Amino acid sequence: MTAKILEEIGTLAEQRLILPGYYTWEQFEAIESLMADSPGLRITYLDGWIEFMTLGEEHEQIKSVLAIFIGLYFFEKGINFIPVGSATRRDRARDVSFEPDESYYIGSRKEHPDLAVEVTITSGSTNKLAKYLRLRIAEVWFWENNQLAVYRLREDDYEQVSRSEFLPELDLELLVRCVLMPSIIEARQDFLKGMRPQ
C-alpha cells in the first residue's frame, strides 16, 4: 500500500493553458483573485489573452541555477545589482501583467528591471517578447531547449544578440554548460575558472 501511495506523490510538469483574447482587465483581475491561493500557478495577461502556467521541478531547477550563476557573475565582476526575482510587472494602461522568472536592476532601481530571464520548458506561450516590450525592459534572456537566447531592445522592437550588453564579458556558452552540469559544486568551480583570467 505504501509503495502505491508513494508512486502517486510527485510534482507536476510545467503545463500551460491559454484563454483567447476576449477578457477585460476587470475580468482578468477577478480570475486572478480567485486563483490567489493556488501555489505554483502563474497568470499572465496581454491584450485580453490570459495564460495560466504551472511551474514544474525542471523549470524551477533551471531558473534557480541560472540565478545562482548570474548572481555569482555580478559578485565576481563587482557589478552592483538588485535582484527582484519574479516580482509581478503590471500596467493596466498597457494591457499587460506578468512575472519574469528572474529579474535584475543593474546599478540602481528604475521604473522596471534592466534584465529579465524567462525559462520555457513547454511551448504554446503567447508572444514571449510582446509583454516585455510593453514595459520596455532593455534585455530579456530566454532559456528554451537547453539553449539561451538574448534579446536587446532597439527602438521599438527586440533584436537577438550574441552577447549580453549589460554583461558583455559573460561567456554564454560557459553559462549554459554549467547550468546543465549534474553537479552544482563542479559547475560552480568550472564557472569561476572560466571567468577568471588564466
Side-chain angles (χ1 to χ4, degrees), residues 62 65 69 143 145-147 175-183 187:
I62 290 172
V65 174
F69 288 123
W143 178 280
N145 298 322
N146 292 334
Q147 297 179 340
L175 176 62
V176 169
R177 191 169 64 250
C178 290
V179 167
L180 294 173
M181 288 177 69
S183 166

PDB file of all heavy atoms in Angstrom, residues 62 65 69 143 145-147 175-183 187:
ATOM      1  N   ILE A  62      16.111  24.952 -13.287  1.00  0.00           N
ATOM      2  CA  ILE A  62      16.886  25.739 -14.253  1.00  0.00           C
ATOM      3  C   ILE A  62      16.875  27.208 -13.874  1.00  0.00           C
ATOM      4  O   ILE A  62      17.915  27.862 -13.868  1.00  0.00           O
ATOM      5  CB  ILE A  62      16.361  25.508 -15.684  1.00  0.00           C
ATOM      6  CG1 ILE A  62      16.719  24.088 -16.119  1.00  0.00           C
ATOM      7  CG2 ILE A  62      16.955  26.522 -16.655  1.00  0.00           C
ATOM      8  CD1 ILE A  62      16.097  23.650 -17.419  1.00  0.00           C
ATOM      9  N   VAL A  65      19.193  27.710 -10.795  1.00  0.00           N
ATOM     10  CA  VAL A  65      20.619  27.573 -11.098  1.00  0.00           C
ATOM     11  C   VAL A  65      21.094  28.746 -11.941  1.00  0.00           C
ATOM     12  O   VAL A  65      22.185  29.291 -11.713  1.00  0.00           O
ATOM     13  CB  VAL A  65      20.911  26.207 -11.768  1.00  0.00           C
ATOM     14  CG1 VAL A  65      22.350  26.117 -12.228  1.00  0.00           C
ATOM     15  CG2 VAL A  65      20.597  25.069 -10.801  1.00  0.00           C
ATOM     16  N   PHE A  69      24.178  31.442 -10.904  1.00  0.00           N
ATOM     17  CA  PHE A  69      25.344  31.797 -11.716  1.00  0.00           C
ATOM     18  C   PHE A  69      25.339  33.260 -12.141  1.00  0.00           C
ATOM     19  O   PHE A  69      26.396  33.891 -12.207  1.00  0.00           O
ATOM     20  CB  PHE A  69      25.470  30.862 -12.915  1.00  0.00           C
ATOM     21  CG  PHE A  69      25.920  29.484 -12.523  1.00  0.00           C
ATOM     22  CD1 PHE A  69      25.168  28.376 -12.840  1.00  0.00           C
ATOM     23  CD2 PHE A  69      27.085  29.291 -11.802  1.00  0.00           C
ATOM     24  CE1 PHE A  69      25.566  27.110 -12.459  1.00  0.00           C
ATOM     25  CE2 PHE A  69      27.498  28.029 -11.407  1.00  0.00           C
ATOM     26  CZ  PHE A  69      26.738  26.930 -11.741  1.00  0.00           C
ATOM     27  N   TRP A 143      15.547  30.988 -21.847  1.00  0.00           N
ATOM     28  CA  TRP A 143      16.097  29.637 -21.806  1.00  0.00           C
ATOM     29  C   TRP A 143      15.032  28.720 -22.393  1.00  0.00           C
ATOM     30  O   TRP A 143      13.911  28.650 -21.899  1.00  0.00           O
ATOM     31  CB  TRP A 143      16.395  29.224 -20.368  1.00  0.00           C
ATOM     32  CG  TRP A 143      16.915  27.829 -20.271  1.00  0.00           C
ATOM     33  CD1 TRP A 143      16.180  26.664 -20.305  1.00  0.00           C
ATOM     34  CD2 TRP A 143      18.274  27.434 -20.157  1.00  0.00           C
ATOM     35  NE1 TRP A 143      17.014  25.579 -20.206  1.00  0.00           N
ATOM     36  CE2 TRP A 143      18.307  26.023 -20.115  1.00  0.00           C
ATOM     37  CE3 TRP A 143      19.477  28.139 -20.079  1.00  0.00           C
ATOM     38  CZ2 TRP A 143      19.483  25.300 -19.998  1.00  0.00           C
ATOM     39  CZ3 TRP A 143      20.651  27.422 -19.960  1.00  0.00           C
ATOM     40  CH2 TRP A 143      20.661  26.021 -19.915  1.00  0.00           C
ATOM     41  N   ASN A 145      14.827  24.766 -24.662  1.00  0.00           N
ATOM     42  CA  ASN A 145      15.510  23.627 -25.278  1.00  0.00           C
ATOM     43  C   ASN A 145      17.003  23.598 -24.934  1.00  0.00           C
ATOM     44  O   ASN A 145      17.852  23.356 -25.798  1.00  0.00           O
ATOM     45  CB  ASN A 145      15.324  23.634 -26.804  1.00  0.00           C
ATOM     46  CG  ASN A 145      13.873  23.515 -27.194  1.00  0.00           C
ATOM     47  OD1 ASN A 145      13.118  22.779 -26.560  1.00  0.00           O
ATOM     48  ND2 ASN A 145      13.473  24.228 -28.217  1.00  0.00           N
ATOM     49  N   ASN A 146      17.312  23.871 -23.677  1.00  0.00           N
ATOM     50  CA  ASN A 146      18.695  23.861 -23.178  1.00  0.00           C
ATOM     51  C   ASN A 146      19.602  24.828 -23.930  1.00  0.00           C
ATOM     52  O   ASN A 146      20.801  24.589 -24.090  1.00  0.00           O
ATOM     53  CB  ASN A 146      19.278  22.448 -23.198  1.00  0.00           C
ATOM     54  CG  ASN A 146      18.588  21.560 -22.189  1.00  0.00           C
ATOM     55  OD1 ASN A 146      18.058  22.036 -21.185  1.00  0.00           O
ATOM     56  ND2 ASN A 146      18.571  20.272 -22.441  1.00  0.00           N
ATOM     57  N   GLN A 147      19.030  25.926 -24.394  1.00  0.00           N
ATOM     58  CA  GLN A 147      19.795  26.984 -25.039  1.00  0.00           C
ATOM     59  C   GLN A 147      19.351  28.317 -24.468  1.00  0.00           C
ATOM     60  O   GLN A 147      18.226  28.468 -24.003  1.00  0.00           O
ATOM     61  CB  GLN A 147      19.579  26.976 -26.552  1.00  0.00           C
ATOM     62  CG  GLN A 147      20.075  25.707 -27.221  1.00  0.00           C
ATOM     63  CD  GLN A 147      19.832  25.719 -28.716  1.00  0.00           C
ATOM     64  OE1 GLN A 147      18.994  26.466 -29.222  1.00  0.00           O
ATOM     65  NE2 GLN A 147      20.567  24.900 -29.442  1.00  0.00           N
ATOM     66  N   LEU A 175      28.057  29.546 -19.421  1.00  0.00           N
ATOM     67  CA  LEU A 175      26.896  29.604 -18.537  1.00  0.00           C
ATOM     68  C   LEU A 175      25.951  28.433 -18.810  1.00  0.00           C
ATOM     69  O   LEU A 175      25.539  27.730 -17.881  1.00  0.00           O
ATOM     70  CB  LEU A 175      26.172  30.944 -18.709  1.00  0.00           C
ATOM     71  CG  LEU A 175      24.867  31.122 -17.924  1.00  0.00           C
ATOM     72  CD1 LEU A 175      25.099  31.044 -16.428  1.00  0.00           C
ATOM     73  CD2 LEU A 175      24.196  32.438 -18.297  1.00  0.00           C
ATOM     74  N   VAL A 176      25.615  28.204 -20.064  1.00  0.00           N
ATOM     75  CA  VAL A 176      24.698  27.114 -20.418  1.00  0.00           C
ATOM     76  C   VAL A 176      25.292  25.770 -20.009  1.00  0.00           C
ATOM     77  O   VAL A 176      24.611  24.930 -19.411  1.00  0.00           O
ATOM     78  CB  VAL A 176      24.374  27.150 -21.932  1.00  0.00           C
ATOM     79  CG1 VAL A 176      23.639  25.878 -22.360  1.00  0.00           C
ATOM     80  CG2 VAL A 176      23.545  28.383 -22.271  1.00  0.00           C
ATOM     81  N   ARG A 177      26.566  25.567 -20.319  1.00  0.00           N
ATOM     82  CA  ARG A 177      27.223  24.298 -19.971  1.00  0.00           C
ATOM     83  C   ARG A 177      27.172  24.052 -18.470  1.00  0.00           C
ATOM     84  O   ARG A 177      26.876  22.946 -18.013  1.00  0.00           O
ATOM     85  CB  ARG A 177      28.673  24.314 -20.479  1.00  0.00           C
ATOM     86  CG  ARG A 177      29.358  22.979 -20.424  1.00  0.00           C
ATOM     87  CD  ARG A 177      30.678  22.955 -21.176  1.00  0.00           C
ATOM     88  NE  ARG A 177      31.685  23.840 -20.605  1.00  0.00           N
ATOM     89  CZ  ARG A 177      32.123  24.967 -21.177  1.00  0.00           C
ATOM     90  NH1 ARG A 177      31.632  25.357 -22.344  1.00  0.00           N
ATOM     91  NH2 ARG A 177      33.036  25.702 -20.580  1.00  0.00           N
ATOM     92  N   CYS A 178      27.425  25.091 -17.684  1.00  0.00           N
ATOM     93  CA  CYS A 178      27.430  24.939 -16.218  1.00  0.00           C
ATOM     94  C   CYS A 178      26.027  24.707 -15.667  1.00  0.00           C
ATOM     95  O   CYS A 178      25.849  23.914 -14.738  1.00  0.00           O
ATOM     96  CB  CYS A 178      28.087  26.152 -15.575  1.00  0.00           C
ATOM     97  SG  CYS A 178      29.874  26.228 -15.879  1.00  0.00           S
ATOM     98  N   VAL A 179      25.021  25.355 -16.232  1.00  0.00           N
ATOM     99  CA  VAL A 179      23.642  25.145 -15.781  1.00  0.00           C
ATOM    100  C   VAL A 179      23.231  23.690 -16.000  1.00  0.00           C
ATOM    101  O   VAL A 179      22.515  23.109 -15.191  1.00  0.00           O
ATOM    102  CB  VAL A 179      22.668  26.111 -16.502  1.00  0.00           C
ATOM    103  CG1 VAL A 179      21.216  25.705 -16.281  1.00  0.00           C
ATOM    104  CG2 VAL A 179      22.895  27.545 -16.036  1.00  0.00           C
ATOM    105  N   LEU A 180      23.724  23.083 -17.075  1.00  0.00           N
ATOM    106  CA  LEU A 180      23.329  21.716 -17.423  1.00  0.00           C
ATOM    107  C   LEU A 180      24.156  20.640 -16.720  1.00  0.00           C
ATOM    108  O   LEU A 180      23.813  19.460 -16.805  1.00  0.00           O
ATOM    109  CB  LEU A 180      23.421  21.522 -18.944  1.00  0.00           C
ATOM    110  CG  LEU A 180      22.421  22.346 -19.764  1.00  0.00           C
ATOM    111  CD1 LEU A 180      22.721  22.217 -21.246  1.00  0.00           C
ATOM    112  CD2 LEU A 180      20.988  21.956 -19.448  1.00  0.00           C
ATOM    113  N   MET A 181      25.197  21.025 -16.018  1.00  0.00           N
ATOM    114  CA  MET A 181      26.035  20.033 -15.336  1.00  0.00           C
ATOM    115  C   MET A 181      25.263  19.380 -14.194  1.00  0.00           C
ATOM    116  O   MET A 181      24.514  20.056 -13.478  1.00  0.00           O
ATOM    117  CB  MET A 181      27.323  20.675 -14.813  1.00  0.00           C
ATOM    118  CG  MET A 181      28.300  21.034 -15.918  1.00  0.00           C
ATOM    119  SD  MET A 181      29.785  21.879 -15.296  1.00  0.00           S
ATOM    120  CE  MET A 181      30.580  20.542 -14.398  1.00  0.00           C
ATOM    121  N   PRO A 182      25.445  18.067 -13.980  1.00  0.00           N
ATOM    122  CA  PRO A 182      24.701  17.391 -12.912  1.00  0.00           C
ATOM    123  C   PRO A 182      25.134  17.805 -11.503  1.00  0.00           C
ATOM    124  O   PRO A 182      24.323  17.783 -10.587  1.00  0.00           O
ATOM    125  CB  PRO A 182      24.973  15.906 -13.156  1.00  0.00           C
ATOM    126  CG  PRO A 182      26.100  15.830 -14.110  1.00  0.00           C
ATOM    127  CD  PRO A 182      26.207  17.139 -14.810  1.00  0.00           C
ATOM    128  N   SER A 183      26.394  18.196 -11.326  1.00  0.00           N
ATOM    129  CA  SER A 183      26.867  18.606 -10.003  1.00  0.00           C
ATOM    130  C   SER A 183      26.994  20.129  -9.953  1.00  0.00           C
ATOM    131  O   SER A 183      27.813  20.718 -10.668  1.00  0.00           O
ATOM    132  CB  SER A 183      28.233  17.979  -9.704  1.00  0.00           C
ATOM    133  OG  SER A 183      28.824  18.617  -8.586  1.00  0.00           O
ATOM    134  N   ALA A 187      29.974  22.550 -11.264  1.00  0.00           N
ATOM    135  CA  ALA A 187      29.570  23.606 -12.183  1.00  0.00           C
ATOM    136  C   ALA A 187      30.062  24.965 -11.684  1.00  0.00           C
ATOM    137  O   ALA A 187      30.576  25.777 -12.459  1.00  0.00           O
ATOM    138  CB  ALA A 187      28.057  23.615 -12.343  1.00  0.00           C
TER     139      ALA A 187
END
